[in-house]
Amino acid sequence: MSKASLLQTFNTQLETLIKSKDIYGSRKFRLIPDSQGVYFRGRVGFRVARVKCNAGLDNERLVNVLTPSKIIQKVPWDCPRPPHARIDGRMVSIEAAWESDMQDTDVKLSDVINIKPGLTPLDGSRLFLGFTDARTAVTLHTKQFAHGIVGGNTNSGKSTLLRLIAYLFSLSNVADPKHPTTLIVLLDGKMGQGLGILNGLPGQVGPMAVTEEEWIAALQWLDKEVTRRYELALSSYMGKSLEFGTVDLPRIKVVADEFQNYTEDGRSAEITRLFNKLIVQGRAAGVEFWCGTHKLSLKMFGKPGNATRDAFDTNIGLRVPTATSSRLIRGDDLCTLLLGKGDTLMQALLPNGSMFDGRFQGAYIPEQVLVEYTRHPFLFDRWPTVDAPGREGSRGPRKMRYTPLQYAIAIESARLGFGRNRFRAMLEDQHVGISGNVPLDRLMDEGRLIHARLTGFDYCQTETGQCGACGGVFGDGEFCQYCGGPPA
Ligand SMILES: Nc1ncnc2c1ncn2[C@@H]1O[C@H](COP(=O)(O)OP(=O)(O)OP(=O)(O)O)[C@@H](O)[C@H]1O
Ligand SMILES: [Mg+2]
């Protein structure tokens, strides 16, 4: 039987189930039809069969009575995982996984986009990640700042996804590999098992870092580069034209697989320190992190409760074994329902400010394609231990009241909307605490102002009592007390 006719049978049997007294008890479910007058919508997904209906305010009751043991009686194939019902927007979604050999995991990147140069704008900021069951492509734009974290247990597809991401970032360098517009740093905590095949991407800064020493060397280079960028940007900021982080500088994408191997519980103190510091401070300097781990824990970034986890605005969950792991990636238990091999749930902030939160089948790149693609020399054959490149010719820093790291934390704290206490804690976390409220507040204000400029707001709005530029609260005067912005 075809999947479509199996789905049809499943659909019909579910309908009968929902209409049976055994299910509804004392009160029938009154289903609401969709705009085309249809009560049940079935879909043949890549990995699951899905039927949706809408019982309005009774949706929750419907989900509660549709237990896995009731649904499974109605599945006309050998379902490898317990089926389930859950609320999905306004609808109730009832899902049952296809038998393993009926599942479709074969979504190649070339099915999602045509990657011939010239056909798709490949500027290194678009990520084509896969297909939803409705066959729409899932695309992320990372031109705005984004850090991404990928969590999933073994065989869930983390490395496959990180390879795809690094490959897509590198495509903008293909036309002119000697002058990359996107620099790539590869870190692998599992001896190169995950990302090794990528070594030699166009735009790759140094060899893929594998050992602790190599990670430290790569992160130290990044640290210098970030500091240089802060100095450059802050000096232009002091000169009143702020184009922070990206002034003619290539963006840097760091792709790190199994990072927890070095950072969990602070196993390598130096890597943990640099990793945390760079994630928090990197985004404003055009440095973006995409990190994968099979071991989600509160201690994955060293110690519980630091601000590093909050810095990720793209959360990608693959199959995980426990509800606890799932909650660490997306706040609910849904990743435990995923089926592995690229079955993905992603929450991501889109450029228009809205959230994408959905399931899709991740695309992959066949290994042969990667092998042929990754033949480029590194920018350095070994990680430098001295200065970052491109230093010559920079205008040099002007005098700054605070260190670049303190500024970076102030900007990140402003982005996260932190108040004074959490800001202070964030500084102390990175060992650059400031004593005294006056200098602390001054730094916090400067951070808010720079953040406001960075995100492109220029004017204040007076009606709300809150500044549209920096989020500060208005003082008595007409102008914002933080950024001095004029009323709209
Ligand atoms: N998007 C995908 N489409 C099809 N197959 C996939 C996809 N992602 C992963 N797989 C398959 O699943 C297997 C495991 O993938 P991968 O190595 O990426 O997982 P992992 O989560 O990194 O595992 P580990 O923890 O062992 O490193 C591979 O055989 C791969 O071919
Ligand atoms: Mg892996």
Side-chain angles (χ1 to χ4, degrees), residues 11-25 27-31 40 51 53 55 62 65-66 74 92 94:
N11 195 340
T12 318
Q13 302 208 46
L14 271 179
E15 208 171 325
T16 321
L17 179 69
I18 291 171
K19 287 179 181 159
S20 74
K21 197 163 171 22
D22 181 29
I23 283 281
Y24 68 72
R27 188 155 46 92
K28 279 191 183 174
F29 288 104
R30 294 177 57 167
L31 296 185
F40 287 88
V51 174
C53 62
L62 182 57
V65 294
L66 284 176
K74 307 297 169 193
V92 169
I94 303 141

Side-chain angles (χ1 to χ4, degrees), residues 128-186:
F128 302 90
L129 297 179
F131 272 134
T132 67
D133 281 344
R135 278 18 183 208
T136 47
V138 176
T139 309
L140 267 186
H141 299 254
T142 73
K143 214 154 201 165
Q144 314 299 89
F145 310 129
H147 288 320
I149 183 162
V150 182
N153 66 346
T154 183
N155 251 353
S156 59
K158 296 173 300 292
S159 305
T160 305
L161 180 64
L162 291 174
R163 287 177 190 181
L164 173 78
I165 288 172
Y167 171 87
L168 287 166
F169 283 144
S170 77
L171 282 175
S172 66
N173 302 326
V174 173
D176 187 2
K178 289 230 166 72
H179 301 100
T181 54
T182 310
L183 297 177
I184 293 172
V185 174
L186 299 178

Side-chain angles (χ1 to χ4, degrees), residues 48 62 122 139 177 181 187 189 221 256 281 337 348 373 439 442 473 476-477:
V48 299
L62 182 57
L122 293 173
T139 309
T181 54
L187 311 172
W221 174 80
Q281 114 180 63
L337 300 167
Y373 177 76
R442 195 196 293 149
V473 181
D476 291 337

Side-chain angles (χ1 to χ4, degrees), residues 220-236:
Q220 278 174 345
W221 174 80
L222 271 166
D223 190 27
K224 278 207 179 106
E225 176 63 11
V226 166
T227 306
R228 181 177 78 96
R229 291 179 174 206
Y230 271 94
E231 287 170 357
L232 268 175
L234 285 168
S235 60
S236 60

Side-chain angles (χ1 to χ4, degrees), residues 4 44 54 57 163 171-172 221 240 249 311 360 368 400 464:
V44 175
N54 182 2
L57 293 176
R163 287 177 190 181
L171 282 175
S172 66
W221 174 80
K240 284 287 170 217
L249 295 167
F360 62 90
Q368 194 49 37
M400 283 188 265
T464 57

Side-chain angles (χ1 to χ4, degrees), residues 149-386:
I149 183 162
V150 182
N153 66 346
T154 183
N155 251 353
S156 59
K158 296 173 300 292
S159 305
T160 305
L161 180 64
L162 291 174
R163 287 177 190 181
L164 173 78
I165 288 172
Y167 171 87
L168 287 166
F169 283 144
S170 77
L171 282 175
S172 66
N173 302 326
V174 173
D176 187 2
K178 289 230 166 72
H179 301 100
T181 54
T182 310
L183 297 177
I184 293 172
V185 174
L186 299 178
L187 311 172
D188 193 322
K190 228 165 87 178
M191 295 318 281
Q193 203 196 67
L195 305 181
I197 192 172
L198 295 179
N199 230 348
L201 285 178
Q204 191 176 328
V205 179
M208 182 183 57
V210 172
T211 63
E212 183 172 359
E213 292 71 42
E214 288 163 352
W215 272 63
I216 292 174
L219 292 171
Q220 278 174 345
W221 174 80
L222 271 166
D223 190 27
K224 278 207 179 106
E225 176 63 11
V226 166
T227 306
R228 181 177 78 96
R229 291 179 174 206
Y230 271 94
E231 287 170 357
L232 268 175
L234 285 168
S235 60
S236 60
Y237 162 60
M238 303 295 177
K240 284 287 170 217
S241 74
L242 182 69
E243 276 184 85
F244 204 71
T246 50
V247 256
D248 293 336
L249 295 167
R251 301 189 69 82
I252 302 178
K253 313 284 185 177
V254 184
V255 180
D257 200 4
E258 306 289 11
F259 63 91
Q260 85 296 335
N261 190 36
Y262 291 121
T263 59
E264 189 186 37
D265 212 5
R267 195 166 299 138
S268 162
E270 183 62 358
I271 293 180
T272 308
R273 182 184 73 79
L274 285 165
F275 205 65
N276 280 281
K277 177 180 176 203
L278 287 165
I279 288 173
V280 170
Q281 114 180 63
R283 69 167 64 228
V287 180
E288 200 178 276
F289 276 76
W290 290 81
C291 302
T293 175
H294 80 274
K295 219 167 151 219
L296 292 152
S297 85
L298 285 173
K299 294 194 280 191
M300 62 188 163
F301 291 108
K303 61 177 180 177
N306 59 16
T308 311
R309 180 65 186 89
D310 298 341
F312 290 87
D313 38 27
T314 302
N315 299 310
I316 302 182
L318 301 165
R319 186 185 60 194
V320 298
T322 63
T324 313
S325 314
S326 180
R327 285 175 206 165
L328 286 167
I329 196 83
R330 51 172 289 125
D332 61 26
D333 301 353
L334 289 179
C335 294
T336 57
L337 300 167
L338 295 172
L339 299 161
K341 297 199 181 212
D343 194 7
T344 312
L345 271 164
M346 178 171 79
Q347 289 171 333
L349 196 62
L350 299 176
N352 64 8
S354 65
M355 283 291 284
F356 171 92
D357 188 357
R359 184 171 181 173
F360 62 90
Q361 177 61 32
Y364 71 96
I365 307 170
E367 293 201 350
Q368 194 49 37
V369 174
L370 285 176
V371 170
E372 281 162 27
Y373 177 76
T374 51
R375 294 205 169 140
H376 298 268
F378 310 125
L379 304 190
F380 325 123
D381 355 324
R382 47 190 292 271
W383 286 98
T385 45
V386 280

